[in-house]
Amino acid sequence: MGKGAGDGTGQSPGRPDQGGSDHGGPDQGHRGPGSPPVVDHVPTRDKVVFLTYDDGAERDPRFIDLVRRRRLPVSMFLTDSVVGPGYGHFARLRSVGASLQNHTLDHPALRGLPYAGQRAEICGQQRKLTSRFGIRPHLFRPPYGAYDATTLRAAADCGIAAVVLWRVTLEGDGTLTYVRGAHSLAPGDIISVPAGEIPPLTLAERTTRLLRELEEQGLRVGRLEDYVR
C-alpha cells in the first residue's frame, strides 16, 4: 500500500488544493525559549498510530458513522474558510469522539509572514472554535507543513501546546506516502489525511482501507491528545 512521495525523495510536494506537505520533518532549530514542540511522530512503545484530518473540506456522513461504530479517536484540524457553513458536521463528529484542533482561519502558507499576520490566523481560529464549540484547542497544524520561528512564537502566544506535522500521508486513492524515514508504518506515526478536490475514494472508504492495513500489522488508532499535550 505504501509508496514514495511524488518527487522521489520521500517528501510530498506542496499541493494547495490538497493540503500537501511543505516539510521534510520537524526543524527544531526554529524553536526558541517557550516555543511549542514540533512533532510528526510520537516516541512510544504502544502499538498505535494517529489519524489526523485536514481542512474540513470533505464532509462525508458515512465517515461520522465509521468514527462512531469503530470508536475512532481521530483529530480534525479545521480551517474556518474551508469549513464555512459546515461546522454542524464537525459538531456531530465531536459528539462521537473526534477532537477538533486548529488549522488557521484561511489556510495561508505561514512561513515568512509577519508575526501579526500569523498570530491573527492562529488566534483567530482559536476564537472561532471556542465560540462554536466551547473548546480551546491545544494542537495546531500549519497549512502545507510550512512554518518558521515566528509561527512557533505566534502559536505559543495563542495558547498552542504543540505544532503537529505528519510522517505519513493517506492519499486520495488510499495509498500511503512517507515524508521521511522508512516507507512503512511504525508505532507512533502521525498520519495526515488531506482533503482532495475529487478523491477517487470517499473519506470513509480511505479510512476503512487504512484500518484494515493497521489491523494486519497489529496496530490500532490512538488518541493523539493523550500523547501530545
Side-chain angles (χ1 to χ4, degrees):
M1 183 174 176
K3 64 180 181 181
D7 64 358
T9 66
Q11 178 172 335
S12 301
R15 294 167 298 170
D17 61 330
Q18 296 182 353
S21 167
D22 195 28
H23 80 87
D27 181 358
Q28 303 297 351
H30 287 311
R31 288 192 68 191
S35 294
V38 182
V39 299
D40 69 350
H41 178 90
V42 174
T44 180
R45 294 183 179 180
D46 297 341
K47 300 276 283 183
V48 296
V49 297
F50 307 100
L51 292 187
T52 64
Y53 296 77
D54 292 352
D55 304 343
E58 290 186 68
R59 294 187 279 277
D60 178 1
R62 288 173 294 181
F63 179 68
I64 298 176
D65 293 337
L66 178 64
V67 170
R68 176 187 53 79
R69 189 172 66 253
R70 299 291 295 267
R71 298 183 179 179
L72 296 177
V74 299
S75 302
M76 315 299 295
F77 286 84
L78 301 183
T79 296
D80 182 68
S81 64
V82 176
V83 174
Y87 275 105
H89 174 86
F90 295 98
R92 291 189 290 275
L93 267 171
R94 183 168 178 256
S95 74
V96 297
S99 77
L100 307 182
Q101 303 294 343
N102 190 327
H103 197 42
T104 70
L105 281 173
D106 297 308
H107 210 271
L110 295 175
R111 187 170 56 208
L113 296 182
Y115 171 81
Q118 297 205 38
R119 189 179 190 279
E121 283 288 338
I122 302 169
C123 286
Q125 184 64 344
Q126 290 287 87
R127 289 191 292 271
K128 286 276 188 179
L129 293 172
T130 299
S131 173
R132 289 184 176 274
F133 300 107
I135 59 174
R136 188 74 175 171
H138 68 278
L139 302 181
F140 169 67
R141 171 166 287 163
Y144 319 114
Y147 70 98
D148 56 18
T150 302
T151 312
L152 301 186
R153 181 161 66 96
D157 291 346
C158 295
I160 296 297
V163 172
V164 178
L165 303 182
W166 60 96
R167 195 185 79 83
V168 186
T169 301
L170 178 62
E171 303 289 356
D173 62 359
T175 59
L176 296 174
T177 59
Y178 298 85
V179 174
R180 64 178 182 87
H183 286 194
S184 59
L185 289 170
D189 276 344
I190 297 174
I191 302 172
S192 169
V193 186
E197 285 189 338
I198 308 177
L201 300 176
T202 68
L203 201 58
E205 289 169 340
R206 302 200 304 276
T207 302
T208 298
R209 180 177 293 192
L210 175 61
L211 292 175
R212 284 199 295 265
E213 176 151 339
L214 296 181
E215 290 166 358
E216 289 170 1
Q217 297 187 34
L219 297 168
R220 60 182 175 84
V221 180
R223 183 177 298 278
L224 182 62
E225 292 76 10
D226 291 343
Y227 290 80
V228 180
R229 302 169 185 258

